[in-house]
Amino acid sequence: MPPQQKKIIFCVAGVLSFACALGTAAAIGTRRWVTGTVLCKTGALLVNASGQELEKFIGKIHYGLFYGERVRQCGLGGRPFQFSFFPDLLTVIPASIHVSVILFCTVLMVFALVGAGFFMFNAFGSPYETLHGPVGLYLWSFIACCCGCLIMILFSSEVKIHHLSEKIANFKEGSFTFKTHSEQFANSFWIVLVCSLVHFLNALLIRFAGFEFPFSKSKDSGTTTGAADLMY
């Protein structure tokens, strides 16, 4: 491929990696990872509510990695309550999984920035043999993609398997019991998914630019070696 086309491809990959770093940083600070509704089960059972009457007992909840908000509905109107995971909910949530999600988000952001820098270096400079060359570009893209996948797996397990929304809704609730009525992943979660796909796309762009995959041997070298062996 002509050098000018390689520069364009590396510039595009660098811009995409930098956009992923910014998107991940924005996603970490928002409270739009999960949105849903919670049902005040105790209140609904007390009045035997059904049909449209249940709407008076359905509150809202949305949260991110650090803080969120829930609206408590038990038949007397909505009562908002803001909360933070640190240090309020550490005894309620699976803290090890939650901290791991934050850690991998940070690693994803860092390696997206590193990948963006090396893509630009390869576009406008002379790449070195290992960390600045194709092996390094594959490495940064692979690590960032894996971090994005781990974030989605860990956070999904925290929400769905460990019932994070219910634990938050029942935080400091003595006489009332809340049950998740509906929940869905919000914008910040899908931003991480898009970033993972972008880093996978960057690996394809490296291959499209003409670089061989790491540790791959060219067929020409094998053929030349075989011919030299036949001479002896």
Side-chain angles (χ1 to χ4, degrees):
M1 179 177 289
Q4 190 66 26
Q5 294 184 19
K6 287 186 178 182
K7 287 184 178 180
I8 294 174
I9 290 176
F10 288 145
C11 285
V12 171
V15 171
L16 290 176
S17 294
F18 185 72
C20 285
L22 293 181
T24 304
I28 292 174
T30 64
R31 60 174 70 179
R32 292 293 177 179
W33 281 72
V34 174
T35 60
T37 57
V38 289
L39 172 65
C40 181
K41 187 177 179 181
T42 305
L45 289 175
L46 284 175
V47 299
N48 197 19
S50 61
Q52 294 183 351
E53 296 177 349
L54 281 176
E55 295 180 0
K56 298 180 181 180
F57 299 92
I58 296 178
K60 298 180 180 179
I61 186 171
H62 60 270
Y63 54 89
L65 298 181
F66 293 97
Y67 55 92
E69 184 180 16
R70 75 183 188 196
V71 178
R72 187 174 181 269
Q73 288 259 111
C74 290
L76 299 175
R79 297 182 181 181
F81 173 74
Q82 294 185 353
F83 58 88
S84 60
F85 286 94
F86 305 98
D88 298 338
L89 297 173
L90 280 180
T91 58
V92 180
I93 65 173
S96 59
I97 298 178
H98 198 77
V99 172
S100 297
V101 171
I102 297 174
L103 178 63
F104 282 118
C105 283
T106 305
V107 174
L108 172 61
M109 181 177 61
V110 170
F111 276 95
L113 288 173
V114 171
F118 282 132
F119 273 117
M120 291 302 180
F121 185 85
N122 278 272
F124 299 104
S126 299
Y128 293 129
E129 184 67 23
T130 306
L131 295 180
H132 296 72
V135 177
L137 295 179
Y138 282 122
L139 179 63
W140 313 134
S141 300
F142 176 76
I143 292 176
C145 184
C146 289
C147 286
C149 294
L150 287 173
I151 291 168
M152 291 184 292
I153 292 172
L154 291 175
F155 191 74
S156 299
S157 66
E158 187 180 9
V159 174
K160 298 298 182 179
I161 298 177
H162 294 276
H163 306 290
L164 183 61
S165 299
E166 283 190 10
K167 290 181 179 179
I168 294 173
N170 289 285
F171 177 64
K172 290 185 177 180
E173 291 290 342
S175 57
F176 289 92
T177 302
F178 291 86
K179 184 179 180 181
T180 303
H181 187 262
S182 66
E183 64 181 358
Q184 56 275 342
F185 295 108
N187 298 336
S188 298
F189 180 84
W190 300 119
I191 287 175
V192 176
L193 173 61
V194 171
C195 289
S196 301
L197 296 177
V198 165
H199 290 296
F200 180 76
L201 175 63
N202 283 346
L204 296 180
L205 289 177
I206 300 169
R207 184 67 183 89
F208 183 72
F211 282 154
E212 297 290 339
F213 283 109
F215 311 113
S216 63
K217 296 181 180 180
S218 61
K219 296 181 179 179
D220 297 336
S221 61
T223 305
T224 307
T225 306
D229 293 338
L230 289 176
M231 293 177 63
Y232 295 98

